[in-house]
Amino acid sequence: MPYTYLEEIAIADAAFEARADTREGLFVEAGDALVNVMVEDLKSVRPLVRRSFHAQAEDLERLLFEYLQQFIFFKDAEQLLLRVSKVAITEESGMLELTAEAAGEKIDPKRHDLNADVKAVTLHRFRVRHEPGGWTAVVVLDI
Amino acid sequence: MAVPRELRQISDAVWELPVSWKPGMRVPARLYGTRDLVEHFDDGVFEQAANVATLPGIQKYSFCMPDGHWGYGFPIGGVAAFDPDEGVISPGGIGFDINCGMRLVATNLTCGEVEPHLHRLVDRLFERIPSGVGSTGFVRLDEDEFLDVVEQGSRWCLRNGYALPEDLELTEEQGCMEGADAAKVSHKAVQRGHNQIGTLGSGNHYLEIQVARKENIFNPGLARAFGITMPDQVVVMYHCGSRGFGHQVATDYLHVLLDVMERVYGIRIIDRELACAPFRSPQGQDYFSAMKCAVNMSFANRQVILHRVREVFSDVFGKSPDDLGIRQVYDVTHNTAKLEEHVIDGRRRRVLIHRKGSTRAFGPGMEGIPERYKPFGQPVIIGGSMETGSYLLAGVESGDQTFYSTAHGSGRVMSRHSARKKYQGKNLVREMQFRGIYVRTASLRGLAEEAGGAYKDIDAVARASELAGISTPVVRLTPIGNIKG
């Protein structure tokens, strides 16, 4: 799996490490890792509604943070579980800009095998790295 | 787990880490707990309590309560007082779930009277008080109306028929923290929270039907004063917070403060989750006002849930809530910062107290507790794991040592992941039923994460708080029904 949950970083919460060849791919995996904390089977989330994510930040870590926040936002504001299949990141005068196309559906406890709610993305041990083997991110979520 | 060698025992249940333990500590860290509890603290507790001790303006000690465990920035169970003129305010000292808290409600029913109806009662409560991921409440508010709620808390509930005047009297801050300014919260926070009033949430949030068994009433005088007047009396206890609204306020201001902390105010910190700003700075004051909105949203949330509890009991037993003696005992907050007056080095001073996963526990006679409880001290409600039980305690005079703060729960010892591997939700439901606890849950896996074995021993936590002199146990409450987010 392109992401794994880290057991003992946060005893009261959930943490994951996501990996991908590209930074765009890393964002896709990290989004799935977050949503997978809330719903057991990502395949049960049908792409019935679409939302666009936009985020801006000075660095990639902050950009990932802002991007992950959007999954939590739509979960509370519109009760949507979303998955992102495509991310585009561009750079303009020192600012990183992200656009992502998300698709998903309204939470339905009858269809979705739900786990714990994610309250927030924390900055604890939050990091994005580009290593010879590809991109990795470590994220701790508040439950 | 390695207990630091420099940790010095001050008394049976108080331990101290000196300022020499970590560079930058301005005051020592004081950790509360018996030897056994302290030896089992995770390493993060010592590190984080020491990190808090480095923050500007901290007074006396950086505290950690007996149920302490690793958190973000502050440990869970962390308490610290700051000079309002020279000190800071830090969202990491309050937590993401602002005013996550406990409410205890008494009835005049006995366990024998409730048991024949228990399944129906729990099923109805489970239906009427939404819980779990993405749940929304029955109070439909547009965003403007929601802004009134966050500025007025339980007062809004009283005006709209969701509260009795007595409920407000028996809530910390009377259900509304003064100075909440909705202009200081983001639109995102409002969008996340405006449909969540009257919902439990998930994680460690729950509602329980509990019993005060005769052998568990340790202090009959105080129990009577707090409304626990007969053996086997049934009570309702619940734990929830400010939901997505509070989480967003915390997230927003973590970044606002990170952006200005070093650049504008020259404050350097050890951990990004300790982001802070001078309390008197514009950003510090904005966060304080926004935090109060989240505090009020949470009071309103627990108040609307009480309204639902009254409706459900009334339906199931065919009597009015009044005839069923449904009366709030008290409502306490866990995750807040408040300006309070305390005596420090012989001088009465106003300080900003951060309590994160800690309960205020004012002693007898203190201002800020309901008149009727003044001779006895403030009721303190400590929630245990869903399998073991919970406590009603009272604040005591010797609580001045921690600025009148005590524990808030049992504190986790096992990761959610490990708990899921060790326990199975379905088996847990069966085993609990066998032991007389009927459970309904929005998530069986979520339930497994909350198994009793994932938590510290609640009795040890209550004992340590008494041994240290920061609160005194009144009644131990045993669960018979539980709804779990």
Side-chain angles (χ1 to χ4, degrees):
Chain A
M1 215 192 309
Y3 55 87
T4 45
Y5 292 102
L6 308 171
E7 276 198 42
E8 301 301 334
I9 283 195
I11 61 164
D13 296 300
F16 65 82
E17 183 181 65
R19 292 174 298 279
D21 294 338
T22 63
R23 57 183 187 176
E24 287 79 5
L26 181 74
F27 276 55
V28 171
E29 297 307 335
D32 268 358
L34 183 150
V35 177
N36 205 178
V37 170
M38 299 193 281
V39 62
E40 187 65 14
D41 181 10
L42 286 176
K43 290 196 186 76
S44 70
V45 181
R46 299 169 300 179
L48 302 181
V49 295
R50 295 185 183 277
R51 293 288 178 272
S52 292
F53 291 1
H54 300 279
Q56 248 193 359
E58 283 176 6
D59 60 67
L60 202 62
E61 284 191 354
R62 182 66 185 262
L63 194 70
L64 178 64
F65 183 93
E66 296 295 337
Y67 163 81
L68 291 174
Q69 277 291 123
Q70 311 228 3
F71 292 93
I72 301 175
F73 174 77
F74 283 108
K75 176 263 303 173
D76 280 337
E78 298 188 37
Q79 300 82 52
L80 290 176
L81 291 172
L82 296 170
R83 297 186 70 186
V84 163
S85 51
K86 202 163 177 234
V87 170
I89 298 171
T90 56
E91 197 165 347
E92 209 168 313
S93 45
M95 284 296 273
L96 292 168
E97 287 209 34
L98 170 141
T99 318
E101 295 309 319
E105 64 175 319
K106 202 113 173 147
I107 295 170
D108 176 0
K110 290 193 193 79
R111 291 197 59 255
H112 299 127
D113 186 2
L114 298 169
N115 293 327
D117 201 0
V118 176
K119 290 177 183 171
V121 180
T122 78
L123 293 177
H124 184 77
R125 297 206 189 177
F126 192 96
R127 67 172 171 80
V128 177
R129 294 263 165 85
H130 188 199
E131 286 154 354
W135 290 84
T136 61
V138 172
V139 178
V140 180
L141 304 168
D142 194 33
I143 300 293
Chain B
M1 309 278 167
V3 171
R5 266 194 310 145
E6 294 83 345
L7 190 72
R8 192 164 65 90
Q9 187 162 19
I10 303 293
S11 66
D12 286 345
V14 185
W15 306 72
E16 185 171 304
L17 267 181
V19 290
S20 56
W21 191 63
K22 191 172 220 175
M25 282 173 76
R26 296 164 193 257
V27 294
R30 284 214 163 173
L31 300 109
Y32 279 68
T34 52
R35 178 178 292 277
D36 188 49
L37 282 172
V38 169
E39 281 177 352
H40 288 89
F41 273 155
D42 48 291
D43 298 347
V45 170
F46 302 105
E47 288 292 337
Q48 292 185 324
N51 292 349
V52 172
T54 68
L55 292 174
I58 187 166
Q59 303 293 308
K60 299 299 286 183
Y61 304 104
S62 156
F63 295 102
C64 186
M65 298 295 114
D67 52 336
H69 63 87
W70 178 91
Y72 304 109
F74 279 49
I76 308 297
V79 176
F82 294 87
D83 182 293
D85 298 317
E86 288 161 19
V88 294
I89 184 166
S90 171
I94 293 153
F96 283 102
D97 197 354
I98 297 167
N99 186 10
C100 179
M102 309 284 310
R103 187 170 289 210
L104 180 65
V105 180
T107 72
N108 62 15
L109 298 162
T110 62
C111 185
E113 290 166 322
V114 169
E115 260 166 0
H117 307 280
L118 184 66
H119 285 216
R120 218 172 116 227
L121 190 62
V122 172
D123 290 345
R124 289 299 296 278
L125 287 166
F126 184 69
E127 280 161 27
R128 306 274 282 175
I129 303 167
S131 61
V133 182
S135 52
T136 55
F138 76 97
V139 182
R140 296 279 156 210
L141 297 175
D142 63 30
E143 290 180 12
D144 284 343
E145 289 170 306
F146 183 71
L147 298 183
D148 287 342
V149 176
V150 304
E151 288 190 346
Q152 295 167 32
S154 298
R155 286 182 204 159
W156 179 91
C157 300
L158 183 63
R159 276 209 321 277
N160 287 276
Y162 300 121
L164 303 177
E166 190 187 69
D167 301 338
L168 274 63
E169 187 204 326
L170 296 169
T171 301
E172 198 168 317
E173 300 291 325
Q174 277 133 44
C176 177
M177 238 177 133
E178 297 293 343
D181 181 358
K184 304 299 182 194
V185 303
S186 68
H187 185 226
K188 262 191 180 164
V190 175
Q191 287 175 290
R192 277 184 69 181
H194 76 95
N195 54 18
Q196 293 185 327
I197 290 185
T199 60
L200 267 185
S202 85
N204 61 358
H205 293 163
Y206 64 85
L207 180 145
E208 273 184 358
I209 315 276
Q210 304 170 337
V211 178
R213 304 221 185 271
K214 191 177 176 191
E215 63 274 21
N216 291 332
I217 301 179
F218 309 120
N219 188 327
L222 282 177
R224 209 172 307 115
F226 293 159
I228 309 297
T229 55
M230 57 184 179
D232 288 342
Q233 187 172 342
V234 167
V235 299
V236 179
M237 181 184 282
Y238 49 98
H239 177 221
C240 60
S242 47
R243 308 283 288 110
F245 177 70
H247 311 159
Q248 190 64 38
V249 168
T251 300
D252 289 341
Y253 278 93
L254 183 63
H255 287 287
V256 169
L257 301 194
L258 265 182
D259 288 344
V260 294
M261 184 179 54
E262 192 169 346
R263 188 169 54 81
V264 180
Y265 301 110
I267 302 171
R268 292 198 174 169
I269 47 165
I270 291 176
D271 172 357
R272 279 183 294 185
E273 289 280 345
L274 279 179
C276 59
F279 178 60
R280 297 288 183 216
S281 67
Q283 296 84 3
Q285 287 295 300
D286 285 355
Y287 171 60
F288 195 43
S289 297
M291 179 214 76
K292 288 173 177 177
C293 291
V295 167
N296 292 344
M297 187 299 185
S298 190
F299 282 138
N301 189 27
R302 291 197 290 275
Q303 183 58 48
V304 166
I305 290 175
L306 174 56
H307 177 77
R308 281 302 219 205
V309 167
R310 285 192 168 112
E311 283 180 351
V312 169
F313 269 77
S314 194
D315 282 357
V316 170
F317 291 94
K319 286 183 181 177
S320 73
D322 208 31
D323 287 338
L324 294 167
I326 299 180
R327 185 187 150 273
Q328 181 165 321
V329 174
Y330 203 53
D331 178 299
V332 295
T333 72
H334 292 158
N335 297 353
T336 58
K338 288 194 200 183
L339 283 167
E340 293 175 4
E341 280 195 7
H342 292 279
V343 176
I344 297 175
D345 298 330
R347 207 156 58 86
R348 198 160 186 82
R349 289 174 50 195
R350 213 166 156 73
V351 282
L352 182 72
I353 310 272
H354 288 63
R355 292 190 184 92
K356 182 189 189 178
S358 164
T359 315
R360 188 191 76 176
F362 279 177
M366 288 180 70
E367 287 303 319
I369 42 182
E371 247 354 274
R372 70 181 79 186
Y373 295 151
K374 246 189 194 159
F376 312 105
Q378 179 207 305
V380 170
I381 306 155
I382 297 189
S385 79
M386 61 183 184
E387 291 188 77
T388 52
S390 298
Y391 273 83
L392 174 63
L393 304 90
V396 289
E397 270 169 32
S398 52
D400 60 347
Q401 60 184 303
T402 53
F403 302 114
Y404 297 97
S405 311
T406 189
H408 83 309
S410 358
R412 277 195 92 88
V413 285
M414 189 187 288
S415 73
R416 292 187 172 276
H417 206 276
S418 307
R420 272 170 66 163
K421 277 203 276 190
K422 186 162 179 185
Y423 305 101
Q424 284 231 313
K426 265 188 196 150
N427 294 345
L428 211 54
V429 169
R430 221 175 16 244
E431 285 161 24
M432 285 174 69
Q433 178 124 26
F434 183 69
R435 296 207 308 271
I437 312 168
Y438 177 57
V439 197
R440 288 294 308 270
T441 179
S443 162
L444 280 170
R445 259 181 304 273
L447 188 80
E449 292 176 4
E450 295 295 319
Y455 283 88
K456 292 183 195 189
D457 174 3
I458 185 77
D459 299 314
V461 170
R463 234 180 358 256
S465 89
E466 181 170 43
L467 209 54
I470 53 175
S471 50
T472 186
V474 177
V475 186
R476 188 187 197 282
L477 299 158
T478 314
I480 55 169
N482 179 303
I483 67 171
K484 191 79 222 58

